[in-house]
Amino acid sequence: MRIVLGVGGGIAAYKVASLLRLFTEAGHDVTVIPTEASTRFVGTATWEALSGNPVSNSVFDDVHLVNHVRLGHEADLVVVAPATADLLAKAATGQAGDLLTNTLLMAHGPVLFAPAMHTEMWQHAATRANVETLRGRGAAVLEPASGRLTGADSGPGRLPEPQAIFDAAMALVQSRSDYQLPLAGRTVTISAGGTREPLDPVRFLGNRSSGKQGVALAVAARNAGATVRLLAAHMEVPAPAGVDVQRVETAMELREAALAAAADSDVIIMSAAVADFRPAEVSDTKIKKRDDTADPVITLVRNPDILQELVEQRNASRAGSGQLVVGFAAETGDSQGDVLAYAQAKLQRKGCDLLVVNHVGMDKVFGQDSNEVVILSRAGSEPQEASGTKTEVSEAIIRRISFELNHVSPRA
Ligand code: C5P
């Protein structure tokens, strides 16, 4: 899930670091928006380090990204903690003086306020009215905990414990009948990394795939609510938490795992770089370097095209089931044709529903963190471009897949 965590200017801001950890450890992508006042208690460096995302509290940073619109629209959940009397008042009256209050006005998903303030402020008629207004508009406002406050006083006004806020936030998301993560209840199988085809016990034929794209897709699908199975060939990055990982080595092993996993998957994404050929013979012992024999010759045989077989399996046994098969194509243009023309031909040949096309060169795509792709659809809709980090591109691909599953009629 994408969560916006607004931090208000109260001493309890320091406890929100633990709340942030609970969110990130559960696999959520959190953008922290601290108010100016809150940065006097906890600095932005803390939020950046703990969230792994850039932090700003001004609408005038990165203006070209129109952050208040983007963050509000994209957030699956907005949590404000501590929600000070001032922030509750601003939210209730629709003020928009900084990035957090702007984002609150743009939020589409559920919003949770976790108040913290002195008892008199919480019980003041003005605050009561603001809380009622916010609740009346559908926001969840937690009751503050009772106990020792910052000065000598005690009473209701303490920030609820981070775990209690976390639990309330998750329950809020679940309870919104009008709100569901786009891939909730779906199973998505993703192949990632590069296969290795053995020549002998120590040597193999491999490729440059790092697995970053497949892993980013697995994270995006998981965050969209899917049950994710990652079929991991050789990868240079660790597998993410919260997904079921099955390790494979060769194209033939991947084929077996993919055909089995696809049988009960709603989506299968072949982002692995599968070797097209494997050595015809695998020596049981290390091939020796000897001066008295001719140079060895490696004969290759073709590997089956797994993607094509997945489409055939779907069409044979699950026709009309709505299973979506997605392929990747790393293409280079040449004098005979451009990248997209080659990719269109590949899409028709393989028969998959969507084909994500990368334009590759030695310095592009493989192992890089950013990417530029075009998504082609067999149904013939306009090619869709997506660019940015592999995370951003993966989120765009997963959004498109969600759209196809939820709004487009079953595939043949
Ligand atoms: O034909 P090409 O290798 O360019 O196609 C790339 C797409 O096909 C990727 O989705 C890749 O995972 C898949 N593929 C496959 N089996 C192969 C070769 C590629 O599934 N033997």
Side-chain angles (χ1 to χ4, degrees):
M1 248 189 330
R2 286 189 176 211
I3 299 176
V4 166
L5 179 56
V7 184
I11 180 66
Y14 79 92
K15 291 188 185 169
V16 176
S18 306
L19 175 62
L20 171 56
R21 280 308 271 265
L22 291 173
F23 285 137
T24 55
E25 278 168 14
H28 302 297
D29 180 23
V30 186
T31 300
V32 180
I33 310 181
T35 61
E36 185 69 37
S38 79
T39 60
R40 299 178 72 147
F41 295 103
V42 180
T44 51
T46 302
W47 304 125
E48 289 202 355
L50 291 180
S51 69
N53 280 323
V55 170
S56 160
N57 54 25
S58 165
V59 278
F60 297 107
D61 289 339
D62 297 318
V63 175
H64 64 290
L65 296 176
V66 204
N67 268 331
H68 61 297
V69 174
R70 186 179 63 82
L71 290 167
H73 279 183
E74 290 181 0
D76 301 303
L77 168 72
V78 180
V79 176
V80 180
T84 57
D86 179 61
L87 257 179
L88 291 173
K90 284 183 170 142
T93 51
Q95 293 180 50
D98 63 7
L99 185 58
L100 177 56
T101 45
N102 271 273
T103 304
L104 282 168
L105 285 176
M106 297 301 299
H108 283 186
V111 178
L112 176 80
F113 292 91
M117 64 196 75
H118 288 281
T119 306
E120 287 94 324
M121 295 170 84
W122 174 245
Q123 291 175 340
H124 194 282
T127 307
R128 306 302 326 142
N130 290 332
V131 168
E132 286 321 304
T133 300
L134 290 168
R135 285 181 177 155
R137 285 194 207 123
V141 185
L142 296 181
E143 288 297 315
S146 269
R148 176 87 197 274
L149 300 173
T150 315
D153 50 345
S154 68
R158 279 168 65 87
L159 184 72
E161 288 307 311
Q163 188 67 52
I165 302 174
F166 176 86
D167 293 344
M170 294 303 129
L172 177 66
V173 172
Q174 303 277 314
S175 71
R176 285 292 155 103
S177 55
D178 58 338
Y179 177 80
Q180 221 192 6
L181 287 171
L183 291 181
R186 306 284 196 173
T187 299
V188 178
T189 295
I190 300 171
S191 70
T195 64
R196 288 179 162 184
E197 310 298 324
L199 279 160
D200 68 16
V202 295
R203 303 186 181 93
F204 58 84
L205 296 178
N207 60 62
R208 290 173 184 273
S209 174
S210 64
K212 282 182 185 167
Q213 183 74 73
V215 165
L217 282 164
V219 170
R222 179 201 67 193
N223 291 350
T227 300
V228 180
R229 292 197 199 115
L230 185 67
L231 308 180
H234 174 73
M235 308 199 304
E236 283 163 20
V237 289
V243 310
D244 174 34
V245 182
Q246 190 178 343
R247 298 273 170 191
V248 294
E249 181 89 7
T250 64
M252 295 306 271
E253 282 174 28
L254 176 56
R255 171 180 179 272
E256 197 179 324
L259 289 171
D264 62 351
S265 294
D266 297 291
V267 183
I268 177 137
I269 308 175
M270 284 296 295
S271 68
V274 186
D276 288 321
F277 304 100
R278 66 180 183 279
E281 280 174 26
V282 183
S283 168
D284 288 339
T285 52
K286 186 178 170 197
I287 300 166
K288 300 271 188 299
K289 179 172 59 180
R290 297 218 327 238
D291 293 336
D292 57 342
T293 54
D295 290 342
V297 173
I298 299 169
T299 306
L300 299 175
V301 291
R302 237 176 213 285
N303 276 326
D305 190 309
I306 306 169
L307 184 58
Q308 219 161 325
E309 287 191 38
L310 286 165
V311 172
E312 283 160 16
Q313 173 173 283
R314 190 270 310 272
N315 291 351
S317 65
R318 303 190 55 185
S321 66
Q323 185 186 61
L324 195 75
V325 183
V326 183
F328 268 69
E331 294 289 342
T332 53
D334 61 22
S335 57
Q336 309 291 307
D338 68 11
V339 174
L340 280 190
Y342 279 119
Q344 283 288 4
K346 181 168 291 181
L347 175 64
Q348 298 310 325
R349 195 166 63 244
K350 301 215 179 206
C352 53
D353 305 299
L354 297 177
L355 188 72
V356 182
V357 186
N358 281 309
H359 185 181
V360 291
M362 290 298 278
D363 59 340
K364 283 187 182 167
V365 179
F366 287 116
Q368 302 291 305
D369 288 323
S370 65
N371 209 353
E372 226 178 271
V373 303
V374 178
I375 306 173
L376 300 182
S377 112
R378 198 166 50 89
S381 49
E382 280 293 297
Q384 179 191 341
E385 291 178 20
S387 64
T389 61
K390 283 192 174 169
T391 299
E392 287 164 340
V393 167
S394 298
E395 286 168 351
I397 295 168
I398 294 297
R399 272 199 298 279
R400 174 65 185 267
I401 287 173
S402 309
F403 179 80
E404 295 279 333
L405 279 182
N406 297 329
H407 301 287
V408 180
S409 56
R411 281 145 288 275

